[in-house]
Structures are given as structure tokens and as C-alpha cells.
Amino acid sequence: MSDKNIFLDVVLPTYNNPKCIEYILEKIERYSQYDYVLSIFDSSTNDETQAIVEKRLSEKITYTRIDSSIDVDEKTLIAVKSSTADFVYLSADGYLPKIDNIFKAIESRDSQSEIIALYDEDWNQQKKYYDTLTKFVYDDKDEFFEKHFWQIILYGGSVCKRELIQRIDVAECVRLFNGSGFIYPCSLTMYSLGRYESKIGKFIELVPFKAASGWITNKTAIKIWAKNFYETLKLPELGLNPGTADKIIRTTGKNTGFLTFRGLLHLKVTRNFTFKIYRKYRFYINECKACSAFSAFMLAISPTFIFILMRKVYKLIKK
């Protein structure tokens, strides 16, 4: 990044997704009039992404190579901590950030909010939840994270002041949260002081080349969204009241849709919710689920091939 103080740093960690990066670089040029920089942190196992980015390096696009052996959680904190911009927006390589609307959400260089949760109105799950809210500015830490922790998990779901990012102790957060999948929202929770906001708008555009989430392809969905999530939220170092942490644990599976019956059905079809997995993580599933225990159990013991066949039939009917 240049010595010039940038207003917004779009921090984008990526791993073996060169087509996504190429798409983002082509489309983000439309926002050239805005005072931002796109900082790409690449931990790919090949040089394809690097070759694409190096053709477009400029004052608005920077590139950093990170060893592919570094865990994605640690990589994320290394990336955001490197920023010197006024505001930091952590993005995913599956999303094109709509810079103009993010600037509108921040409103001005005098914004007093340390974290702004950004809900996308084109994302039904997010809009449906946002429409239930009656409060949008918060001074109380527990109140904000009880309502919005689930959204802060999303890379592209919030923008933060640099002062907050600077307070984060990377080594301590790596010790506490590395490998959990939730190091970024937990770090913000641990070190934030307030105030906070939530806003809705059109903030992200889906990149057409994005593959399925790693926790789907690696069959670790339940481990991450039940076991890791439960154990991480229970850590006292987060600084949340125990009742707040419990509320987040009970509601996140519903808010994300991942642990509703429909969400578990999707996990079943992708072989992320077998009886073996259910038996191994039953306690955590029951703590985090967003459907009845009986429904979860029956879905777990049912043969997977039935649901795969049903999905294929459904797709044929739709065509």
C-alpha cells in the first residue's frame, strides 16, 4: 500500500481461485473514482493467481504472497492487520464488493461506529432477519453481538475501523481461535469497545466461478458449525456475558440456515450429515440445532442415497 492514507482497504484472502480473482479485478475497475485499495493475500499452491494479479498491480491493487501451509484463520488476521486504511473491509474471493454502497454505509470519515454489520438486501436470509430488527445503533457490546455475531462471521458482512484492527493481538487470537473457523468474528468481539451499527443495502455480488465452501467439500460442516462454534463461543476471553454467548450459540444455526431442517438436509445430500457424524457430534448438534432433536436424529439415520435421488428428481422436474 502506498504512503497515502487510504479511506477503505478491501482485504481479500484467496486460495486457489484464480478465476474468481480475475473476475473481481475486471469488475472492480468500475469503482476507480473511490478512495480504496484492494489488498489480495494469496496462499495458493500454484502461481496462477499471482500471474493474474501482477498484470493489474496499481495504487489500487496490491498483492502479497503467503505460505500455503499457514492456517486460513492466521492468514486472515495477518491480512487485516497489515492494513493502514481508515476502514477495513474483509472480503471473500467468492464475492465482488460493491464499493460505492460500502462507502455510503460508512457515510463519512467522521463515522463513530467501530463495527458496521452490513446486511445484503438481495440475500433473502439476511434481509428476512434484518427486517425483524428494531434497533440499528448499539453502545452495548453484548447487545450488538447477540444480534449480529452471525453476520460478522461472513467475509463481506462487516466493515471495521482501523483502530479496532490495530488492537488485535494476533498471537493471542491464534492461540485461542486458530483452526476454529471463527477467528475473525471472535477477534473483533474480544477487542472491540463500541459503538456499533447495522445497515442494509446492496453490498456484495456473487462471483460466478466460486466453488463450494471448503467445509462442504472437506465434510467438516458439522465439526465447524456445531463443535468448533460451541467451544469457541464458550471461551471467557471473548468478553461476552455467558448468557449472551449461549444466545448466540442457540440462534446462529437458525440465522445462517445451516442447522435448520432444510440446512441439515443439504448437509445430508453433500454427505456432511451422516449417522456417524451425528453420533460423534451429537452433544454439539443438540446445542446448536435449529430444528427438533427428533428431526435431526431421523435425518441422520436415514440412508443418504434416498435424498440424493430425490434431489436429482427435483432438478429434472424443474428443468
Side-chain angles (χ1 to χ4, degrees):
M1 190 179 297
S2 69
D3 293 334
K4 175 180 177 290
N5 192 43
I6 302 296
F7 183 52
L8 178 68
D9 190 353
V10 178
V11 176
L12 200 164
T14 187
Y15 176 81
N16 288 350
N17 281 311
K19 288 185 178 180
C20 292
I21 297 302
E22 186 171 34
Y23 180 90
I24 291 169
L25 292 176
E26 289 175 354
K27 299 296 183 180
I28 208 165
E29 290 180 351
R30 70 181 70 160
Y31 303 114
S32 59
Q33 71 271 32
Y34 290 92
D35 184 17
Y36 79 94
V37 64
L38 173 64
S39 302
I40 297 173
F41 290 80
D42 177 25
S43 59
S44 300
T45 56
N46 56 59
D47 297 330
E48 292 182 36
T49 299
Q50 182 174 355
I52 289 169
V53 178
E54 286 184 342
K55 294 177 182 177
R56 296 175 178 268
L57 289 177
S58 67
E59 286 190 353
K60 288 193 175 294
I61 298 171
T62 68
Y63 177 86
T64 303
R65 190 68 179 261
I66 297 181
D67 194 293
S68 59
S69 65
I70 296 177
D71 187 89
V72 63
D73 282 344
E74 184 175 359
K75 177 179 73 174
T76 297
L77 287 195
I78 290 172
V80 296
K81 283 286 286 187
S82 71
S83 177
T84 59
D86 296 334
F87 289 88
V88 180
Y89 177 83
L90 176 63
S91 188
D93 58 14
Y95 304 134
L96 170 69
K98 297 185 176 181
I99 304 294
D100 52 348
N101 292 333
I102 296 170
F103 266 69
K104 290 176 185 176
I106 300 172
E107 290 184 339
S108 76
R109 293 176 186 260
D110 298 323
S111 175
Q112 297 302 307
S113 295
E114 197 170 54
I115 304 175
I116 305 175
L118 301 176
Y119 290 83
D120 198 280
E121 63 187 46
D122 289 334
W123 197 324
N124 289 336
Q125 191 80 13
Q126 293 188 21
K127 186 178 187 304
K128 182 179 179 181
Y129 176 82
Y130 194 85
D131 287 345
T132 68
L133 299 176
T134 57
K135 187 173 182 178
F136 308 98
V137 179
Y138 307 81
D139 293 309
D140 183 80
K141 181 174 185 171
D142 281 87
E143 185 180 15
F144 174 77
F145 284 105
E146 178 183 311
K147 296 289 186 182
H148 303 288
F149 186 91
W150 77 279
Q151 178 65 6
I152 306 300
I153 295 171
L154 176 69
Y155 286 17
S158 64
V159 62
C160 307
K161 272 192 170 182
R162 179 181 62 187
E163 287 84 349
L164 166 56
I165 301 298
Q166 287 179 327
R167 286 197 297 272
I168 294 173
D169 184 326
V170 173
E172 178 66 1
C173 289
V174 167
R175 182 184 72 82
L176 290 168
F177 312 121
N178 202 47
S180 68
F182 303 102
I183 196 169
Y184 185 64
C186 287
S187 298
L188 298 187
T189 304
M190 186 172 172
Y191 288 97
S192 69
L193 302 174
R195 115 182 146 160
Y196 314 93
E197 286 182 74
S198 63
K199 295 190 176 183
I200 192 167
K202 296 178 183 290
F203 299 117
I204 54 179
E205 174 187 322
L206 295 179
V207 174
F209 306 105
K210 178 62 176 176
S213 299
W215 43 270
I216 290 289
T217 56
N218 296 332
K219 307 296 184 288
T220 56
I222 293 298
K223 179 180 183 293
I224 290 173
W225 287 100
K227 181 181 185 294
N228 289 6
F229 189 73
Y230 178 90
E231 292 181 344
T232 303
L233 265 294
K234 284 292 186 177
L235 291 173
E237 287 88 348
L238 278 179
L240 296 175
N241 292 325
T244 302
D246 289 340
K247 182 70 177 294
I248 294 170
I249 289 169
R250 291 195 304 269
T251 58
T252 295
K254 176 183 177 182
N255 293 337
T256 60
F258 295 152
L259 298 182
T260 61
F261 182 81
R262 185 174 181 178
L264 289 176
L265 184 59
H266 173 67
L267 296 183
K268 182 75 175 179
V269 170
T270 58
R271 302 187 186 279
N272 274 274
F273 191 59
T274 62
F275 181 64
K276 181 179 179 181
I277 291 172
Y278 172 83
R279 186 170 54 185
K280 183 175 182 179
Y281 299 113
R282 178 170 56 186
F283 169 79
Y284 302 104
I285 292 168
N286 286 332
E287 291 294 316
C288 301
K289 62 180 171 49
C291 62
S292 71
F294 178 75
S295 297
F297 172 73
M298 291 302 296
L299 192 57
I301 65 174
S302 301
T304 302
F305 78 88
I306 295 176
F307 299 99
I308 294 176
L309 181 61
M310 289 173 62
R311 184 173 69 167
K312 289 181 178 179
V313 171
Y314 174 73
K315 287 183 177 180
L316 285 174
I317 292 173
K318 284 192 71 175
K319 287 183 180 179

